[in-house]
Amino acid sequence: AANGMRDPQETRRFLSGGPVSLPIDAAFVPLFLLVPVLLHPAYAVVASGAAILIVAMGLLTEFLARRPAARANDAALKSHAEVAAAIRNAEVIEAMGMRAAIVRRWSTGQNRALALVGIGNQAAKALAAAARSTRMALQVAMLATGATLVVDHAVSTGSMMAASFVTARLLHPFDALIDGWKQWANALSALRRLRMLLADGSAGRNREPVIATSGALTVDNVTFMPPGSERPV
């Protein structure tokens, strides 16, 4: 439940950020794919191949970077929960001489979380850089295709520029998805934890009325001494 208090904030940051609009951009992909088909079939072949290649890189990012990031997030949440519990019981831990052991335990969990974060970030950054380079190369390939068609008098020069512009817009949602996969993964994990937290039924309260019953009270050897007095009442 303590970790669940952070999950609504994670979800709110995702909803107010940029990656949440990716499905809306992806809805226009068929339209941007139709325009190269109308200009020339060769444009459509290059644009379709570019989209398939970007999607393949996105799936590769999902398998190589998302899982380490999810494990790192879980390890970080566990480390934060242990620190919060230790702070609440700081006096008891200090009195029992457990501070050094608690510090070592926290350090071990923190190092594990940082190692997983490093693995996920390295893979994500490498794949993002490769995706940007691939996207630039695909735009150059589209221009080269258009130049070849112009030389062969198959299309006009304006169609070459139009195809290049439309292809850039076609690849934008896929390229943004590679960069925004982490926000999507964190938001989905937070939503899943909130559903599990709210669906376990442990937060209910008994609303049955308490029936008042009669009983007897017995006291024995009760003594009270007022403050400042040496004689009990």
Side-chain angles (χ1 to χ4, degrees):
N3 293 333
M5 297 299 294
R6 288 190 291 267
D7 290 334
Q9 298 179 2
E10 181 71 28
T11 307
R12 181 180 60 188
R13 284 196 298 267
F14 170 75
L15 293 176
S16 60
V20 71
S21 63
L22 288 178
I24 301 176
D25 295 334
F28 290 93
V29 168
L31 176 62
F32 290 121
L33 188 59
L34 178 62
V35 175
V37 174
L38 297 176
L39 293 176
H40 196 275
Y43 290 142
V45 172
V46 175
S48 300
I52 293 174
L53 185 59
I54 294 296
V55 169
M57 297 193 68
L59 294 176
L60 189 63
T61 302
E62 173 71 14
F63 287 108
L64 295 182
R66 186 188 68 83
R67 295 179 180 178
R71 291 195 296 267
N73 189 36
D74 293 339
L77 290 176
K78 182 178 179 181
S79 178
H80 290 321
E82 291 179 351
V83 169
I87 291 175
R88 288 194 301 268
N89 300 279
E91 296 180 355
V92 177
I93 292 173
E94 184 69 22
M96 299 180 67
M98 298 171 58
R99 182 176 61 178
I102 292 295
V103 170
R104 287 195 301 269
R105 182 176 178 179
W106 171 82
S107 179
T108 301
Q110 193 73 4
N111 290 336
R112 179 175 179 272
L114 291 177
L116 292 174
V117 169
I119 294 174
N121 287 341
Q122 288 177 359
K125 290 180 180 179
L127 290 170
R132 285 192 293 268
S133 300
T134 302
R135 183 180 175 185
M136 294 177 63
L138 292 172
Q139 290 181 354
V140 172
M142 179 62 73
L143 289 175
T145 302
T148 303
L149 294 175
V150 170
V151 171
D152 293 339
H153 301 286
V155 296
S156 63
T157 307
S159 69
M160 178 180 66
M161 301 304 298
S164 177
F165 175 76
V166 171
T167 303
R169 293 301 306 169
L170 172 67
L171 299 180
H172 174 71
F174 303 106
D175 196 14
L177 183 61
I178 295 177
D179 293 334
W181 69 268
K182 187 175 182 180
Q183 291 87 339
W184 275 90
N186 292 339
L188 291 176
S189 298
L191 183 60
R192 183 175 64 253
R193 288 192 298 267
L194 285 174
R195 286 179 176 176
M196 293 175 61
L197 179 64
L198 299 177
D200 60 0
S202 61
R205 174 177 294 182
N206 187 7
R207 299 182 179 272
E208 293 295 330
V210 179
I211 301 176
T213 59
S214 60
L217 176 65
T218 302
V219 296
D220 187 18
N221 291 329
V222 177
T223 303
F224 174 71
M225 184 175 296
S229 175
E230 297 181 358
R231 298 180 59 185
V233 175

